[in-house]
Amino acid sequence: MKKRLLGRTRKSMSLMVVATMFLGLIPSMASAADRGAWAPNVSYALNDTVTYGGSTYKDIQPHTSLLGWEPPNVPALWQLVPGGNQDTQAPTAPSNLQATGTTTSSITLSWSASSDNVGVTGYNVYQGSTLVGSVNGTTLTYTNTGLSANTTYTYTVKAKDAAGNLSAASNQITAKTASTGAGDTQAPTAPTNLAVSGSTSSSVSLTWTASSDNVGVTGYDVYQGSSVALTVTGTSATISGLAASTAYTFKVVAKDAAGNVSAPSSSVSVTTPGTGGNSSLPKHVLTGYWQNFINGAANVKVANVPDEYDIIVLSFAEMDTTKPGGVTFNVDSSLSNALGGYTDQDLINDIKAKKAKGKKVIISVGGEKGNINLNNASPNVANFVDSMYGLITKYNLDGIDIDLENGMNVTNLTTAVRQLQQKVGSSFILTMAPQTIDMQSENTSYMQLYKNLKDITTVINVQYYNSGCMLGRDGKCYSQGTIDFLTALSDLTLQWVAPSQLGIGVPATSSAAGGGYVSASVVNNALGCLATGSGCGSYKPVAKYPDIRGAMTWSINWDGSNSYTFAKTVKPFLVTLP
């Protein structure tokens, strides 16, 4: 969480939301309270209880709630209370259970998702009446192994929720494992309904309807043009490593255990979207925030920002209180005096010089206390677009950064950013700086915004600081200020955000945040761990992410207070990544 101008008073970075959270703990020490139904914008203390979706939850970290932080979405903040005002409604039964592949010793199943009044947390897979396996609530496939050849098995699937409610059984199916000597010569049917389910500047996601076979389909080869790009066992695939703004054609063929291959599906063509202004940026970028205020960090002219920084973020645009949705910005008078009379024109000249070196300069909205008024579509969206475009034009900026830490109207903000991007053009840079809690679930407001704008997003730099203990991809709670915190939480987010759009955000010095500082060398180790699998701590990511976008620091000014050690350590390492 970054420090923001509030009126004309600027406080130390150490007085951030973490301090507020500890202050919020004081009343909770006296007694926990039943706070009734969960609501946004409420300060909750340790052990407070709330109800949500028919269940009772207990607060395990003091915080002020925001939309998108509903208890089921943020288990690092809320713990389900067993036996409390419990959810008693079971999920709907899974549907469309089918066998999508068989071998002599395994059968692969897939099904369509269930729904629930609170949320589906997992699925139980039954062979006959015996539970043979379970998967989480976002996984819709299961492979039952250790089976006998040429044998028929019966399956059903049931959904479950966090309260332990179990759905009715899915449709029942039978499937037969392949025979070791049957001499199968019959090919599967061709896959049908091949379609593009999503795309980014570097990937395309496909879905199709399963093939059938006299014995069983064991997998699918996905062709990119005339070459096999990927082999999968289910009926979906994501092909990555593609170029932006490029046309591709795909088709899929099915195969069985005997090596018989189906006729190809119909082909589908798609053009990957643009890179959101990425074309002149390096593959791995370093982002830094330039403070337009005084708070104890070094006072820095943009001309003196080290060339190691690829993206310079002016912090922050102010809410225009006279024009709903509008924003304003100029060089702060106190900063101007500290820099010997630094003017708007000086800033404009400095930005021009940085851009001549290939750097991108953008402006941020938000910060720890700041916000924009997009509660109404009209006239707020138009005011935001017009005023922001005016600033981009005046200062010759490349785009904007979204750093809203106090909630957002996702629909209106999406519309505003789209309209602004259309006015600026294809060179538009869009970055985001969500707090760690904003990335604990794919259902938060920030994730909704990203899904709406991912085709024009340059990088999401998650603020891995001022956040306490948070859940990693393995469901364990990791403490900030460690390599495991950076890698485990990044691994979690990489389920939903493309590696080429994710960056690690950290404070430049221990004075720059209330908690979460790590040395620049630890940042390099985390980047190396995510990109290549080397340099990891105890947490090992589930995959390597060579396209990881880079790193961000709050702030350039705090880095300047430490001789720019962060930039001069991290940027040379980014250059070495694949």
Side-chain angles (χ1 to χ4, degrees), residues 57 83 86 115 264 275 338 371 534:
Y57 294 85
Q86 197 73 2
S115 60
T275 56
N371 211 333
S534 63

Side-chain angles (χ1 to χ4, degrees), residues 28-64:
S28 72
M29 294 177 180
S31 62
D34 181 356
R35 306 298 295 277
W38 179 92
N41 305 312
V42 175
S43 293
Y44 291 108
L46 187 68
N47 293 324
D48 280 355
T49 57
V50 298
T51 56
Y52 184 84
S55 296
T56 300
Y57 294 85
K58 180 176 71 174
D59 182 286
I60 57 177
Q61 288 199 62
H63 67 285
T64 298

Side-chain angles (χ1 to χ4, degrees), residues 365 400-404 408 413 417 430-434 446 449:
V365 293
I400 66 171
D401 170 69
I402 305 297
D403 183 15
L404 296 171
M408 66 178 75
L413 183 57
V417 173
L430 173 63
T431 68
M432 302 181 194
Y446 256 103
L449 183 68

Side-chain angles (χ1 to χ4, degrees), residues 57-379:
Y57 294 85
K58 180 176 71 174
D59 182 286
I60 57 177
Q61 288 199 62
H63 67 285
T64 298
S65 59
L66 293 175
L67 286 173
W69 293 12
E70 292 80 4
N73 291 342
V74 282
L77 297 181
W78 294 102
Q79 183 181 74
L80 184 69
V81 178
N85 185 18
Q86 197 73 2
D87 173 20
T88 59
Q89 182 173 328
T92 61
S95 58
N96 196 34
L97 178 63
Q98 57 186 310
T100 58
T102 62
T103 69
T104 56
S105 61
S106 69
I107 295 175
T108 299
L109 308 170
S110 71
W111 57 90
S112 297
S114 300
S115 60
D116 186 63
N117 62 317
V118 178
V120 175
T121 59
Y123 295 92
N124 290 342
V125 181
Y126 297 85
Q127 183 193 108
S129 60
T130 302
L131 176 66
V132 292
S134 298
V135 295
N136 64 38
T138 60
T139 301
L140 302 176
T141 64
Y142 178 79
T143 299
N144 187 199
T145 59
L147 306 179
S148 300
N150 197 30
T151 304
T152 299
Y153 295 89
T154 301
Y155 295 96
T156 55
V157 176
K158 295 180 181 180
K160 56 187 177 182
D161 62 19
N165 299 308
L166 204 61
S167 77
S170 68
N171 58 297
Q172 179 176 290
I173 66 162
T174 58
K176 188 175 184 180
T177 51
S179 172
T180 55
D184 177 21
T185 60
Q186 183 174 328
T189 61
T192 56
N193 300 319
L194 178 64
V196 175
S197 58
S199 64
T200 70
S201 59
S202 61
S203 67
V204 171
S205 296
L206 304 170
T207 61
W208 57 90
T209 300
S211 300
S212 60
D213 186 63
N214 62 316
V215 178
V217 175
T218 58
Y220 298 89
D221 287 336
V222 181
Y223 282 79
Q224 177 185 319
S226 59
S227 301
V228 176
L230 200 62
T231 298
V232 297
T233 57
T235 55
S236 64
T238 297
I239 300 88
S240 57
L242 306 179
S245 303
T246 303
Y248 292 94
T249 299
F250 301 96
K251 61 184 177 183
V252 178
V253 300
K255 54 188 179 181
D256 62 20
N260 300 306
V261 176
S262 76
S265 68
S266 58
S267 296
V268 64
S269 296
V270 59
T271 299
T272 51
T275 56
N278 293 343
S279 56
S280 60
L281 284 169
K283 180 178 180 180
H284 306 291
V285 297
L286 181 63
T287 303
Y289 284 77
W290 176 80
Q291 297 178 190
N292 184 38
F293 53 86
I294 295 173
N295 70 341
N299 299 316
V300 179
K301 297 179 180 179
V302 167
N304 296 329
V305 173
D307 287 343
E308 281 82 0
Y309 285 101
D310 302 298
I311 303 176
I312 301 167
V313 188
L314 308 184
S315 315
F316 296 92
E318 302 287 337
M319 180 190 295
D320 187 343
T321 57
T322 68
K323 186 179 295 183
V327 294
T328 64
F329 179 85
N330 52 46
V331 174
D332 175 71
S333 57
S334 297
L335 178 64
S336 174
N337 292 334
L339 292 174
Y342 195 56
T343 66
D344 280 0
Q345 189 58 53
D346 292 330
L347 177 59
I348 292 169
N349 294 340
D350 288 353
I351 290 172
K352 181 178 180 181
K354 284 297 177 186
K355 293 185 65 172
K357 292 184 176 182
K359 309 305 176 184
K360 303 294 184 182
V361 185
I362 63 178
I363 189 166
S364 182
V365 293
E368 182 194 359
K369 299 293 185 181
N371 211 333
I372 52 175
N373 181 5
L374 290 176
N375 295 331
N376 299 305
S378 178

Side-chain angles (χ1 to χ4, degrees), residues 403-570:
D403 183 15
L404 296 171
E405 302 175 12
N406 299 286
M408 66 178 75
N409 184 307
V410 174
T411 300
N412 292 342
L413 183 57
T414 297
T415 300
V417 173
R418 284 282 182 195
Q419 292 183 10
L420 186 61
Q421 187 268 344
Q422 290 167 7
K423 290 173 74 74
V424 174
S426 60
S427 63
F428 182 74
I429 295 285
L430 173 63
T431 68
M432 302 181 194
Q435 300 170 89
T436 311
I437 190 69
D438 293 313
M439 308 306 285
Q440 284 278 284
S441 163
E442 64 175 329
N443 299 316
T444 64
S445 296
Y446 256 103
M447 279 305 305
Q448 293 173 42
L449 183 68
Y450 166 70
K451 291 175 183 178
N452 292 346
L453 298 172
K454 64 183 179 181
D455 60 308
I456 60 170
T457 298
T458 305
V459 60
I460 294 179
N461 293 301
V462 183
Q463 299 181 44
Y464 289 126
Y465 48 99
N466 294 339
S467 52
C469 179
M470 290 288 157
L471 300 181
R473 188 164 182 167
D474 56 1
K476 297 180 181 178
C477 207
Y478 291 89
S479 298
Q480 63 181 346
T482 63
I483 184 174
D484 287 341
F485 186 86
L486 301 179
T487 54
L489 271 71
S490 293
D491 205 15
L492 174 76
T493 299
L494 285 163
Q495 295 177 97
W496 314 306
V497 174
S500 61
Q501 293 176 312
L502 185 68
I504 292 176
V506 293
T509 70
S510 58
S511 299
Y517 169 74
V518 294
S519 67
S521 61
V522 172
V523 176
N524 287 353
N525 288 340
L527 288 166
C529 174
L530 291 165
T532 68
S534 63
C536 301
S538 60
Y539 181 83
K540 310 297 182 185
V542 301
K544 297 176 183 178
Y545 308 102
D547 293 337
I548 192 78
R549 196 65 211 251
M552 171 275 280
T553 192
W554 177 263
S555 64
I556 293 170
N557 304 65
W558 283 110
D559 196 18
S561 300
N562 193 34
S563 302
Y564 297 109
T565 298
F566 184 88
K568 295 183 182 300
T569 303
V570 175

